[in-house]
Amino acid sequence: MAHLDALFRTMSVTSPLKPFLGVYRRVSRLIYRIMPKGLYTRTFLIIVAPIVILQSVLVFVFMERHYQLVSQRMSEAVVRDIAAVVYVLENYPQDADNTRIEELASRALGMSMSVTPLEPLPPPAPKPFFDVIDQELSKAISQRIGKPFWIDTVGRSRFVEIRIQLEDSILRIFTRRSQTYASNSHIFLVWMFSTSAVLVIIALLFLRNQIRPIVRLANAAEAFGRGRPVENFRASGAREVRRASLAFIDMRRRIERQIEQRTTMLAGVSHDLRTILTRLRLQLALLGSTPESEAMRKDVDEMSHMLEDYLAFARGDGDEDIQKTDIALLLEELEEEGEISGGNVSARFEGPSEAEVRRLSMKRCLSNLVTNGCKYGTRVEVSGRIADGWLTVTVDDDGPGIPEDQREMAFRAFHRLDLARNMDETGSGLGLAIARDIARGHGGDLSLEDSPLGGLRARIRIPV
């Protein structure tokens, strides 16, 4: 379908096929909605659908051609025997009680015949709609014998009764159903469907073994993307799946090695810079309290704060283990810390509040958002809930907000939207970048919206 979409996109507006473009797109969207999304179910349909179609065609051809033809031949054979008996009764003299003709029919033809006095034939019985026996027998009797007759293919389960009106009597015949139609046709259907079912079950077992490595690879990639440990994963399955698994393992090792090297380097840089800042604080303490030293001390504190932000952004949250955390309690802690810092912060959580997250990282993420709200506004509201497998936390403030066309730029590292916020405030420009990095490290995301309070709303969505 992708090739057809590309073909339709490259067609001219005046192309004669253009009216079919809308129909094709609607049909393709309908098929996409109806078709299953899983690889196992799609492959199952790929295997089963051709088998079902093939068997349906075979059954139709067999029942329409072979079964009906054989039944027609057998019905005609029975009618020929009856026609011979009728000819003998009408052209050759018989004994008084017709014993010889009845014995002939029983021994030579395998039928039970009797000649009864003439009487009106019973009214026609209701005819079954799909009964091949009734149709073929009636057709053959009309063509070969050409006399009034009555036939009953419904009343007796194992026999068929036929009555033929002669000039002065009624010929009554009972014959087995198996003589008038192909009674062993069901054996073909039973063997066909049973062997197909066995083959489908065997194919599904092999298919499950082939798809299991793909599912494990997808789960490992998803867990690694969410920052969770990938344990006991190894390459298995078909050659192509093994190549993909080995590529994923190599990629994971390179990323982990890069993160480890960066963390080691940052630990050394942090140690060296903190040593220098400690010496500066000591020298400022020896200078005493003067306006100049106070300004320098403020600069040193700001440098320390910026250094912590840089290290937190570069280090990420990969070293922390995932643990079950009470998010409602975490929001209460943020509310208390905000009030201690002099901010107007209110927090609430709806429903069950336990989720598996990195607690310290999540707290750092929400703390950055609450700190930004308190910095640029006078009121901050934090609310959260868990629904449909997602943890959603919103942080609203009544500050000046951020224009919609600049919200994505606000997530850039070291980028500050001073025109949208307060130019007198200092900072590293990493608060939102760190918060989004933590949210994405949990497999979710952070987005900015308009707040009902008139300012900015930060929305975090994380799968739980």
Side-chain angles (χ1 to χ4, degrees):
M1 288 188 177
H3 300 289
L4 293 177
D5 286 332
L7 177 62
F8 280 127
R9 284 195 296 268
T10 56
M11 287 194 312
S12 172
V13 178
T14 60
S15 172
L17 296 178
K18 188 175 181 297
F20 300 98
L21 178 59
V23 177
Y24 164 75
R25 288 179 175 173
R26 287 194 294 270
V27 172
S28 62
R29 286 195 294 265
L30 177 63
I31 293 176
Y32 178 77
R33 288 195 297 267
I34 295 176
M35 291 294 291
K37 305 302 184 293
L39 177 62
Y40 185 82
T41 52
R42 287 189 175 186
T43 311
F44 175 76
L45 287 180
I46 292 174
I47 294 176
V48 173
I51 295 179
V52 172
I53 295 174
L54 177 61
Q55 289 188 349
S56 301
V57 173
L58 289 177
V59 169
F60 175 78
V61 172
F62 176 80
M63 300 299 292
E64 185 69 19
R65 302 294 182 184
H66 177 75
Y67 175 75
Q68 188 171 2
L69 182 60
V70 173
S71 299
Q72 180 182 355
R73 296 290 185 265
M74 297 180 69
S75 297
E76 290 178 353
V78 171
V79 172
R80 281 197 298 267
D81 294 340
I82 298 175
V85 173
V86 171
Y87 181 82
V88 170
L89 287 174
E90 290 182 340
N91 294 278
Y92 295 95
Q94 300 295 322
D95 52 345
D97 54 357
N98 297 304
T99 304
R100 296 175 64 184
I101 194 68
E102 293 177 2
E103 184 178 355
L104 172 66
S106 176
R107 292 184 177 182
L109 304 179
M111 300 180 186
S112 175
M113 290 188 182
S114 61
V115 180
T116 61
L118 182 63
E119 61 181 357
L121 294 175
K127 304 298 182 182
F129 188 73
F130 293 105
D131 196 343
V132 178
I133 305 175
D134 193 286
Q135 298 174 6
E136 297 299 334
L137 278 177
S138 300
K139 180 179 177 182
I141 293 174
S142 300
Q143 292 177 352
R144 289 191 173 272
I145 300 177
K147 295 181 179 296
F149 69 93
W150 178 85
I151 183 172
D152 181 15
T153 60
V154 181
R156 297 173 179 265
S157 59
R158 296 176 56 190
F159 298 94
V160 176
E161 181 181 0
I162 302 172
R163 298 183 187 182
I164 298 176
Q165 182 177 341
L166 304 178
E167 293 182 358
D168 55 355
S169 61
I170 297 294
L171 177 62
R172 192 174 185 183
I173 307 103
F174 289 94
T175 183
R176 293 188 301 273
R177 274 180 169 268
S178 58
Q179 290 182 276
T180 58
Y181 79 107
S183 59
N184 60 346
S185 301
H186 65 281
I187 299 177
F188 171 78
L189 301 178
V190 170
W191 274 102
M192 183 176 65
F193 286 112
S194 60
T195 53
S196 299
V198 172
L199 293 177
V200 167
I201 293 174
I202 295 175
L204 291 180
L205 294 177
F206 282 99
L207 177 63
R208 184 178 182 183
N209 292 332
Q210 293 300 318
I211 290 181
R212 187 182 293 114
I214 302 177
V215 175
R216 285 201 297 263
L217 175 60
N219 293 335
E222 184 179 5
F224 184 70
R226 294 182 179 182
R228 298 180 178 179
V230 181
E231 299 178 354
N232 300 327
F233 176 75
R234 58 183 181 85
S236 60
R239 179 177 58 189
E240 292 78 4
V241 181
R242 286 177 177 270
R243 289 177 56 189
S245 301
L246 292 174
F248 167 74
I249 294 174
D250 293 339
M251 179 192 67
R252 185 189 66 181
R253 289 174 179 173
R254 287 195 299 268
I255 293 175
E256 291 175 347
R257 185 166 56 249
Q258 181 181 5
I259 294 175
E260 183 180 358
Q261 293 175 352
R262 187 182 65 174
T263 303
T264 303
M265 180 191 68
L266 291 175
V269 172
S270 173
H271 179 269
D272 295 339
L273 292 179
R274 285 173 177 171
T275 301
I276 296 175
L277 290 175
T278 302
R279 288 204 302 264
L280 288 175
R281 285 196 181 94
L282 180 59
Q283 293 173 3
L284 289 173
L286 295 176
L287 289 177
S289 179
T290 61
E292 292 80 5
S293 63
E294 291 296 331
M296 294 178 63
R297 188 175 292 106
K298 183 178 179 181
D299 291 338
V300 170
D301 292 339
E302 184 177 351
M303 289 178 61
S304 299
H305 179 70
M306 293 174 65
L307 176 61
E308 294 296 332
D309 288 344
Y310 295 157
L311 293 177
F313 175 73
R315 183 170 57 249
D317 57 354
D319 295 336
E320 186 182 355
D321 294 332
I322 295 177
Q323 57 181 324
K324 185 171 292 187
T325 303
D326 191 340
I327 306 298
L329 182 60
L330 186 63
L331 297 186
E332 292 179 2
E333 294 178 4
L334 293 174
E335 182 179 4
E336 294 176 358
E337 294 175 0
E339 292 176 354
I340 293 175
S341 302
N344 183 9
V345 181
S346 61
R348 59 186 177 86
F349 198 94
E350 300 177 0
S353 59
E354 288 190 350
E356 292 186 355
V357 295
R358 296 181 177 88
R359 190 182 190 283
L360 296 179
S361 300
M362 182 58 62
K363 185 175 181 180
R364 185 188 307 125
C365 171
L366 296 175
S367 179
N368 287 350
L369 299 177
V370 172
T371 301
N372 282 345
C374 294
K375 183 186 297 184
Y376 300 112
T378 59
R379 178 185 172 192
V380 177
E381 292 184 358
V382 184
S383 61
R385 65 187 181 94
I386 297 177
D388 300 328
W390 289 85
L391 166 64
T392 304
V393 180
T394 59
V395 180
D396 296 300
D397 63 56
D398 58 352
I402 297 177
E404 186 175 356
D405 57 346
Q406 299 184 21
R407 289 173 183 172
E408 195 62 29
M409 297 174 58
F411 291 109
R412 296 181 181 178
F414 311 107
H415 185 82
R416 299 184 62 218
L417 301 175
D418 290 333
L419 296 179
R421 296 287 192 166
N422 193 342
M423 296 185 61
D424 296 331
E425 297 290 346
T426 61
S428 60
L430 290 174
L432 290 177
I434 293 174
R436 170 173 271 190
D437 186 63
I438 293 174
R440 289 181 172 177
H442 284 79
D445 202 358
L446 169 64
S447 60
L448 301 179
E449 307 170 0
D450 293 327
S451 172
L453 300 181
L456 185 68
R457 163 174 283 184
R459 181 189 299 271
I460 298 176
R461 294 186 78 244
I462 294 175
V464 295

